[in-house]
């Protein structure tokens, strides 16, 4: 199993609570997606529930959003198709500020505003319980235009996730 590196049942005898972040769940590799997909959060918490009592588990979530660089060719700007194929899932910082990026809350909000000004609309994914939107940027460092797909959460999507995991599984807290 994914959590065999630690003796969780033994540890649970000595701690009051385990604080489990959403990214402690199971995530598919090399897939452009929300940083805390609802199915991954549910499966991840189920893994923890196999090792310790629910009364010891507290669910946490991150406000870390993800921005993936799209590969060309891009769909036409007037296309209703929001396809964004990504090369990899690497988040290593680059000198040019390009490539995939982890975004903080304020940066995400500024970039969503810019994407909407470019005519893009947020798309809600009910399976993952998060939004995504396209964004075009011109990078002055290498004089190239790039398209990105930003996956992000809102208060509402995080409430859905907290209810679906912590509340439905009757965990110790949020």
């Amino acid at each position: 199993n994914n959590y065999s590196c630690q003796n969780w049942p033994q540890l649970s005898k000595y701690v009051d609570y385990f604080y489990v972040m959403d990214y402690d769940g199971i995530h598919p590799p090399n897939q452009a997606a929300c940083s805390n997909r609802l199915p991954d959060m549910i499966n991840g918490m189920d893994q923890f529930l196999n090792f310790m009592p629910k009364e010891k588990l507290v669910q946490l979530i991150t406000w870390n959003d993800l921005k993936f660089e799209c590969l060309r060719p891009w769909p036409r700007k007037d296309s209703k198709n929001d396809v964004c194929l990504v090369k990899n899932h690497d988040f290593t910082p680059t000198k040019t500020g390009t490539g995939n990026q982890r975004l903080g809350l304020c940066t995400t909000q500024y970039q969503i505003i810019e994407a909407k000004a470019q005519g893009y609309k947020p798309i809600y994914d009910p399976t993952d319980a998060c939004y995504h939107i396209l964004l075009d940027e011109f990078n002055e460092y290498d004089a190239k235009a790039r398209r990105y797909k930003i996956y992000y959460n809102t208060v509402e999507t995080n409430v859905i996730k907290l209810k679906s995991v912590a509340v439905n599984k009757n965990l110790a807290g949020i």
Side-chain angles (χ1 to χ4, degrees), residues 34 36-42 82 122-132 151-154 156-161 164:
C34 200
N36 54 352
R37 298 174 56 230
L38 181 57
D40 298 336
M41 292 176 70
I42 292 170
D82 73 328
I123 298 173
Y124 178 68
D125 181 339
T127 302
D128 290 349
C130 74
Y131 286 91
H132 57 86
Y151 287 84
Y152 65 97
N153 287 290
T154 63
E156 294 79 15
T157 61
N158 281 319
V159 167
I160 289 168
K161 292 171 184 181
S164 298

Side-chain angles (χ1 to χ4, degrees), residues 19-90:
Y19 295 89
V20 181
M21 287 296 289
D22 56 48
Y23 52 70
D24 292 330
I26 303 163
H27 297 280
N30 299 320
Q31 179 178 339
C34 200
S35 65
N36 54 352
R37 298 174 56 230
L38 181 57
D40 298 336
M41 292 176 70
I42 292 170
N43 292 336
M45 191 59 75
D46 286 344
Q47 290 287 326
F48 279 99
L49 287 166
N50 287 332
F51 296 106
M52 63 192 70
K54 63 184 177 183
E55 295 81 12
K56 298 254 182 183
L57 293 172
V58 175
Q59 180 189 4
L60 303 174
I61 57 170
T62 180
W63 285 88
N64 184 27
D65 298 309
L66 303 178
K67 179 179 174 182
F68 293 92
E69 186 172 354
C70 302
L71 297 175
R72 293 182 187 242
W74 300 335
R76 288 191 349 251
K77 185 148 181 125
D78 62 345
S79 170
K80 299 217 185 283
N81 185 356
D82 73 328
V83 172
C84 172
L85 301 175
V86 298
K87 182 176 182 180
N88 59 43
H89 206 252
D90 180 22

Side-chain angles (χ1 to χ4, degrees), residues 136-170:
D136 295 329
E137 288 185 336
F138 181 80
N139 186 284
E140 294 177 13
Y141 183 84
D142 61 5
K144 290 185 180 177
R146 289 184 168 77
R147 178 162 294 162
Y148 294 90
K149 193 169 197 176
I150 300 171
Y151 287 84
Y152 65 97
N153 287 290
T154 63
V155 170
E156 294 79 15
T157 61
N158 281 319
V159 167
I160 289 168
K161 292 171 184 181
L162 292 169
K163 285 182 177 178
S164 298
V165 180
V167 175
N168 286 352
K169 294 181 183 301
N170 202 25

